[in-house]
Each structure stands twice: as C-alpha cells, then as structure tokens.
Amino acid sequence: ALMGGSGAMRTAGEMYLPKFKSEDVIDYQARLTASWLFNGFKKTVHDMTGRVFDKPIEVSEGPEPLKGWAENIDMQGRDLSVFASDVFKDGLASGVSYIMADAPKREGETTRAQASAAGLRPYLVHLKVEEVLGWKTATYGNVLAFSQFRILEQVTETSADDEFTEETIGQVRVLDRTDTGVNVRIYREEKDAWYLFDEYTTDAQEITVIPYYARRTGFATGEPVLDDLADVNIAHWQSQSDQRNILHFA
C-alpha cells in the first residue's frame, strides 16, 4: 500500500487509518479523502535501487543468443537492466521476489530454426509476492527444489461482444514437476467456480523459478528490509490526517 502512494492508502481505508468511535461513514470518507501521504518509504526504496543500478548491466559471457535476448529479456520491451532493477526494487520492499524462466507454448514438433523465426524463445517473468499463491518442495539429488508452484495471473482478451473492448481475466497457473517434465495446468474462474482451461507438459526438467532474497527467512520466503521505516511512514500518514482534521474543525 505504501508503494502505491496516497491512492492505495486511501483504498486500504481503516486498515491504516482507523475510524473514530463516534465518526460516521460520511465524515470518515471526507477525512480519508483529505489525507495525503508523504511517501518516504517508496522514495527510500527508489533511491537505494538507483544506487545499485546506476550503471547498466552488461552481459560479458554466455551463449551468443543470450546477448540479443537481454535487450528484450521479458518479451515486453524491458532490457536486462530495467528488469533486474524492478525485481530488486520489489524485493527490497517485500523482502523476497521471484524470477521465472518461461517460454511460449509450442504446438507439435518445432525445429530450432522454426522456433527462432516465430520468436518462440525463452524469456524472464517477474513474479511479485502477491502473485505467488504457494508451492510444494521436494529433494532431488540431495537438493531442495520446487515440486509444485502456483501463480495468480491476469490475462487480457478481446471481448466477444465488442472488438474494441478488452477484458481482464484472472487465472491460476499450476506447475508440477514430474519424471517426464513440468506439467502445466491453467485454471479459470467462471460463475464462482474454477475449471481446467488448459493443460500440457513441457520439456523442462525442473520448475525454473528462482527467489531473489533481500532478507531471507527461509526457502523462498523473506521479510521486508525497511519494515521499521514502513511503520514510521504509516504513523506519519495517520498523524497528518489527524492534523488536517483538527485544522478543519478549528
């Protein structure tokens, strides 16, 4: 909510700005709307990220295709420097963030030349804490790794009723590591019920999700580095609201 600024803090409502005992709903909403956030937490996260990434990342070694891929590492226009900066910033705020190596689904047998021509190449996906629903782990060759990983996703599709309108659809992606590869299941919600929308098996031999730890508390878990600063920033949000409210009545 702090990273979202004043708008997100107002949306959070009574979670961070308690309602007075004798305050009615209309008065509370007026006080909430008049409150604004001096975002010291977000500014600190951005400043610390800027110090780490004051110079762009350079790929000095590795296979030749990787250097070209690094210029659009997520297939959405972000290069490796911008992508890494966003992961670091989110991890600094949340304590942990995740990077997933993914690739488009291929239909049938596809040669390397056909895949290259169609742009069916691997890319990185940034997964935030709130997008990770959970996981299971197992030991493979004496190494602890994910045996299952569940992700909350948002996909955009053109409306069936209007070609100029797009609809956002929520779905859950479940990755299961099996002996033959990683099985992918996609569930979508319809009329308050979840159904299996798609299922297929990839050639990947492991679930390619890597946690980035800012402050590690366990396997794939962490806690915010600046949680004390967040508390102070929330206290300022509440104090500023009280002072504006007192000034209004005075």
Side-chain angles (χ1 to χ4, degrees), residues 112-126:
R112 182 174 296 182
Q114 290 173 332
S116 178
L120 303 178
R121 62 142 173 110
Y123 57 91
L124 298 184
V125 179
H126 176 206

Side-chain angles (χ1 to χ4, degrees), residues 71-99:
E71 296 177 2
N72 186 9
I73 199 66
D74 63 348
M75 296 292 283
Q76 295 183 15
R78 286 188 295 181
D79 62 18
L80 186 58
S81 292
V82 175
F83 180 87
S85 176
D86 289 343
V87 173
F88 181 87
K89 180 167 51 182
D90 182 66
L92 194 62
S94 304
V96 62
S97 200
Y98 308 87
I99 301 172

Side-chain angles (χ1 to χ4, degrees), residues 2-188:
L2 286 173
M3 292 297 290
S6 297
M9 292 293 284
R10 293 187 186 114
T11 301
E14 294 184 45
M15 181 181 296
Y16 299 119
L17 190 65
K19 188 166 77 71
F20 299 141
K21 184 177 181 180
S22 59
E23 190 176 29
D24 62 28
V25 175
I26 295 177
D27 289 339
Y28 175 75
Q29 286 297 325
R31 181 164 66 92
L32 181 65
T33 303
S35 302
W36 55 270
L37 177 72
F38 172 75
N39 210 328
F41 179 83
K42 182 178 180 179
K43 181 179 184 302
T44 302
V45 170
H46 278 271
D47 289 348
M48 294 178 70
T49 302
R51 292 189 181 98
V52 176
F53 292 92
D54 61 337
K55 295 181 180 179
I57 294 176
E58 296 181 3
V59 181
S60 59
E61 297 181 3
E64 186 59 34
L66 184 60
K67 294 183 178 180
W69 296 349
E71 296 177 2
N72 186 9
I73 199 66
D74 63 348
M75 296 292 283
Q76 295 183 15
R78 286 188 295 181
D79 62 18
L80 186 58
S81 292
V82 175
F83 180 87
S85 176
D86 289 343
V87 173
F88 181 87
K89 180 167 51 182
D90 182 66
L92 194 62
S94 304
V96 62
S97 200
Y98 308 87
I99 301 172
M100 178 175 69
D102 202 0
K105 180 181 177 181
R106 302 185 184 187
E107 302 293 344
E109 295 294 330
T110 307
T111 65
R112 182 174 296 182
Q114 290 173 332
S116 178
L120 303 178
R121 62 142 173 110
Y123 57 91
L124 298 184
V125 179
H126 176 206
L127 301 176
K128 298 183 178 181
V129 169
E130 55 267 27
E131 297 170 336
V132 177
L133 298 179
W135 60 78
K136 295 180 181 179
T137 59
T139 302
Y140 302 93
N142 211 29
V143 177
L144 185 65
F146 294 114
S147 60
Q148 185 187 86
F149 205 82
R150 303 185 299 279
I151 307 166
L152 180 65
E153 300 177 330
Q154 300 287 336
V155 295
T156 302
E157 294 184 353
T158 302
S159 173
D161 301 325
D162 184 0
E163 64 173 309
F164 303 109
T165 303
E166 292 186 332
E167 298 177 341
T168 301
I169 302 172
Q171 66 180 27
V172 174
R173 182 182 300 267
V174 182
L175 309 176
D176 288 293
R177 181 169 175 173
T178 67
D179 295 335
T180 57
V182 174
N183 184 66
V184 180
R185 287 175 290 161
I186 298 177
Y187 292 89
R188 287 190 177 180

